[in-house]
Amino acid sequence: GPAGDPIPSTILDLTGVDVIDTSAANHILRLVRGAGLMGTRCFISGISPAMANTNVGLGLDLSELLTFNTLEAALRFAIQEIEEQGGG
């Protein structure tokens, strides 16, 4: 949209990332929260089963993140949200 209009969705694609540590998870959480303050919802895609298991094993709480196993799934969700809000 025109300058100043919020971008409704941002997707952070982690496809190919095998392991995420506590520090990286905290950075991602800060990024998502910062995006929210700027008026955009941040979705995380590419969460592999191995990464999910690692997160659980490390005790990482990523429950506030909206995650998708593929970039395609995240894009479909974001597009659906925009259409439901009358923006598409």
Side-chain angles (χ1 to χ4, degrees):
D5 285 351
I7 298 170
S9 304
T10 301
I11 299 171
L12 178 60
D13 184 34
L14 300 179
T15 300
V17 176
D18 294 324
V19 177
I20 188 168
D21 63 12
T22 304
S23 176
N26 285 328
H27 284 293
I28 291 169
L29 287 170
R30 284 198 300 267
L31 175 74
V32 170
R33 290 174 185 147
L37 291 173
M38 294 172 37
T40 184
R41 290 190 64 190
C42 192
F43 308 130
I44 310 295
S45 66
I47 302 292
S48 67
M51 186 190 303
N53 286 337
T54 299
N55 294 346
V56 170
L58 290 174
L60 299 178
D61 180 14
L62 304 180
S63 61
E64 69 185 85
L65 300 179
L66 191 51
T67 61
F68 299 87
N69 60 341
T70 65
L71 178 57
E72 179 183 355
L75 284 169
R76 288 183 187 275
F77 184 86
I79 290 168
Q80 180 182 349
E81 257 198 354
I82 292 168
E83 288 175 348
E84 288 175 357
Q85 295 173 3

